[in-house]
Amino acid sequence: MATRIVEIANAPTPAGRMVLTVFAGIADFERSLIVERTSAGRIAAKARGVRFGPSPTLSAEQIAHARQLISQENKPVAEVRADAARDGTAGTRRPGSRLPV
């Protein structure tokens, strides 16, 4: 029986091309279902308040303080970042990463 399945899936024959076309259609359909379920899951997770991506390295208070320094005291972002790095409040930010403003 296994020999028959191999003969049917033989691509150069008309029956083999039909079988491969059906398999390709099923695979494409399954891929569409996976994309749809993943998208629905992400939307549901966001509705529940799940945050995606890396966790912030600065606390809300640190971000508010940095924004205050930038907007009210007209300090450049680079200077605020350097001050935070000296104080040890910069967390584990990569060099050259942007301060969330």
Side-chain angles (χ1 to χ4, degrees):
M1 181 150 183
T3 307
R4 182 70 182 138
I5 293 172
V6 171
E7 289 173 3
I8 291 175
N10 191 2
T13 65
R17 284 193 302 274
M18 182 197 68
V19 168
L20 292 177
T21 301
V22 170
F23 285 164
I26 292 170
D28 186 51
F29 175 68
E30 182 62 29
R31 181 184 183 282
S32 298
L33 291 178
I34 290 169
V35 168
E36 190 176 300
R37 286 191 303 259
T38 303
S39 177
R42 286 180 60 86
I43 290 169
K46 282 188 177 187
R48 290 191 312 268
V50 175
R51 294 190 60 190
F52 293 96
S55 57
T57 57
L58 299 176
S59 68
E61 295 82 23
Q62 291 169 326
I63 293 172
H65 179 66
R67 287 181 176 157
Q68 177 186 5
L69 290 174
I70 293 167
S71 64
Q72 294 176 358
E73 298 182 21
N74 296 325
K75 279 192 168 187
V77 173
E79 186 179 329
V80 173
R81 185 183 299 124
D83 289 346
R86 269 194 302 278
D87 296 344
T89 58
T92 57
R93 293 213 169 258
R94 296 184 318 265
S97 65
R98 295 188 53 155
L99 185 66
V101 194

